[in-house]
Amino acid sequence: MQLAMIGSGYVGLVSGACFADFGFSVTCIDADAGKIARLNQGDIPIYEPGLDDLVRRNVAAGRLAFTTDLAAGVAAADIVFIAVGTPRAGDGDADLSHVEAATRQIAAALDGFTIIATKSTVPVGTGDRLEALIREVNPAADFALVSNPEFLREGAAIADFKIPDRIIVGLEDERARAPMVALYRPLYLNTAPLVFTSRRSAELAKYAANAFLAIKISFINEIADLCEATGANVQDVSRSIGLDKRIGSKFLHAGPGYGGSCFPKDTVALAAIGRRHNAPQRLVDTTIAVNAGRAGAMARKIAAAVGGDVAGKAFAVLGLTFKPETDDMRDAPSLGIITTLQKSGATIRAYDPEGMKAAAPLLPGVAFATGPYDAASGADALVIITEWNAFRSLDLSKLKSVMRKPVLVDLRNIYRRQEVEAAGFAYVSVGQPAPSVLSESRTAAE
C-alpha cells in the first residue's frame, strides 16, 4: 500500500515514519523546501525521542522518502493523509487555510480511486467542506474522504502511535472501510480498538478529548489553590481521586497550567464551534479562563517567595518547554511567567535541555545558561517550571553554594519539602501547605 503524507511537521513526520516502520511505502510531502532538504540529509527538524533513529532506519530500508513534489506523491498513493497545521485564527476558530490549500492540490493530482484521510485537527463539518472543494476542483475525482484524528503526546508520540488507546476513523463512504482496516491491521491485532464513526463524530471527538484533559488540568490547579488556603496537600487529594477508576490519575498534577500545540488552540476552537452552533461550551470557556490566569498566579507565588518584590532580583529558571521530552515552546507556561517577572524588574537566567533555541526569540532579555548550576549562579531563587528528568535529582548542596539566596520554587512538585528544607532551602510548591499553615492547622485541631 502506497501512502502520501501531506505535511512533514510533528504529526506528519511521526505518523509517516511509524507507518513506514509497519512496512508501508510512505512519501512525506512538504511545501517547505528547506525542511525537505534537511530531512533528506538526515537532519530531523523537531525533537522527539526515538524519531531520528526511526526515520533513519526506514529511509535506509527504502520505505520512507521526502519530497516537495505533491502531484507525483498523490498520484501514486492509495491513501493520502492531510497533516498540515490548523493554527488559531483571530476569532479563536481553527485556521483552515493550509488544509484547504493542500486539499485543492490533492484534488488536482488524484489518479484513480484514492482515500483522503484528514489527520489535521479540524472543526466538525470540515470533511463536508473539503469533499465539496475536491469536487469543485476535480469533478471527475474518484475518492473517499475520511476523518482519522491523531492522539499523539509530544515526548511519547512513537509509543502513542504504535500502542494507541484507540484508532478513530470517521467515514461516509463504505469503500474506505476495508483499506483503513488493512492500514491499521498491525495495531488492531494488538487489541487497540478500531472505532468507526460518522465523519463529524470523529472530527468532534478530537476536540472533545483534548478539552476534557484540559478541564482536568485546570480543575486540579484550582483544587491546588484551595489546598494552599486550607492546609491540605494537593498531591494527597490528586492521588485519592485518581485511584477512582471513573476519574483516573492522568492529568491530575497541579502546576503552572497547560500549554503546547493542542490544548490551548483546541479548547479555544471548541468554544468557538459551540458559539457558532448556539451550543455554548461553558465548562471549556471556564477552563480557558482558569488557564489564562495561571501564569500570573505563578509569578505572584514566585514574588512572594522572595518577599513580594522581584525588582532587581535574579531568578534561575529550569525548564522552558511546555512539557519535558520536547522542544516545543508553543503556549508554554514559562513564557507568561518569565515575561511577568521581567515586567516587574526581575532578571532571568534560564536553562532547558532542548528548548533554548526555540525559546530565544520568544524571550528577549533572558540569559541562557549551559546547565542547571550555571543558571543558578548568583540567583535569589531557583524556579522549576518544566519537570525534565535532569532536574529531579539536583545536588542541593552544590545549588546552595552557587546561589545568592537558597530559595527553591518548585512549580511541578518534584521535590519533597523535608529534603529541600534539610538542605537549607526555603521551599515553595504548588497546592501544598507551608510549614506555618501546617503548624496552625495542627494547633487548631488540638
Side-chain angles (χ1 to χ4, degrees), residues 308-378:
D309 184 7
V310 304
K313 292 186 170 64
F315 293 88
V317 170
L318 298 186
L320 298 170
T321 53
F322 86 95
K323 64 180 290 188
E325 300 301 334
T326 181
D327 58 355
D328 197 339
M329 286 295 301
R330 286 174 287 185
D331 284 296
S334 63
L335 298 174
I337 294 169
I338 289 173
T339 300
T340 301
L341 293 173
Q342 286 178 312
K343 288 179 179 177
S344 297
T347 59
I348 309 294
R349 188 170 177 82
Y351 173 72
D352 187 283
E354 294 291 341
M356 291 190 292
K357 182 178 179 181
L362 304 175
L363 293 170
V366 170
F368 294 98
T370 57
Y373 304 103
D374 180 35
S377 181

Side-chain angles (χ1 to χ4, degrees), residues 6-8 29-30 81-87 97-100 102 119-121:
I6 312 301
S8 297
I29 302 162
D30 203 284
F81 289 92
I82 299 175
V84 298
T86 53
S97 59
H98 300 299
V99 172
E100 291 178 351
K119 276 203 171 292
S120 301
T121 302

Side-chain angles (χ1 to χ4, degrees), residues 176-188:
R177 185 182 294 266
M180 294 303 288
V181 168
L183 175 69
Y184 283 110
R185 184 174 177 274
L187 302 179
Y188 188 68

Side-chain angles (χ1 to χ4, degrees), residues 147-296:
S147 174
N148 180 213
E150 53 82 21
F151 297 95
L152 306 179
R153 295 169 299 158
E154 293 187 49
I158 294 171
D160 284 348
F161 190 97
K162 292 189 172 185
I163 313 171
D165 294 327
R166 75 289 201 197
I167 304 156
I168 298 177
V169 178
L171 55 79
E172 305 299 328
D173 187 333
E174 282 297 322
R175 292 181 299 169
R177 185 182 294 266
M180 294 303 288
V181 168
L183 175 69
Y184 283 110
R185 184 174 177 274
L187 302 179
Y188 188 68
L189 290 177
N190 288 332
T191 72
L194 183 57
V195 180
F196 283 95
T197 72
S198 70
R199 198 162 55 201
R200 289 188 170 223
S201 295
E203 291 167 342
L204 190 54
K206 168 66 175 182
Y207 281 109
N210 280 351
F212 188 80
L213 296 175
I215 287 171
K216 288 185 73 173
I217 293 171
S218 288
F219 170 80
I220 203 63
N221 282 338
E222 290 214 309
I223 292 296
D225 293 342
L226 184 57
C227 286
E228 291 182 12
T230 60
N233 188 320
V234 73
Q235 289 184 303
D236 293 338
V237 173
S238 175
R239 185 168 187 271
S240 297
I241 65 177
L243 288 170
D244 187 327
K245 291 182 175 63
R246 298 168 300 174
I247 297 172
S249 62
K250 293 183 178 180
F251 293 87
L252 284 179
H253 302 288
Y258 59 78
S261 62
C262 294
F263 288 4
K265 77 176 180 65
D266 289 355
T267 49
V268 171
L270 182 57
I273 292 167
R275 288 192 296 272
R276 189 166 66 247
H277 291 276
N278 197 29
Q281 302 297 296
R282 289 181 288 271
L283 285 176
V284 177
D285 284 328
T286 301
T287 296
I288 294 166
V290 169
N291 197 64
R294 200 65 184 162

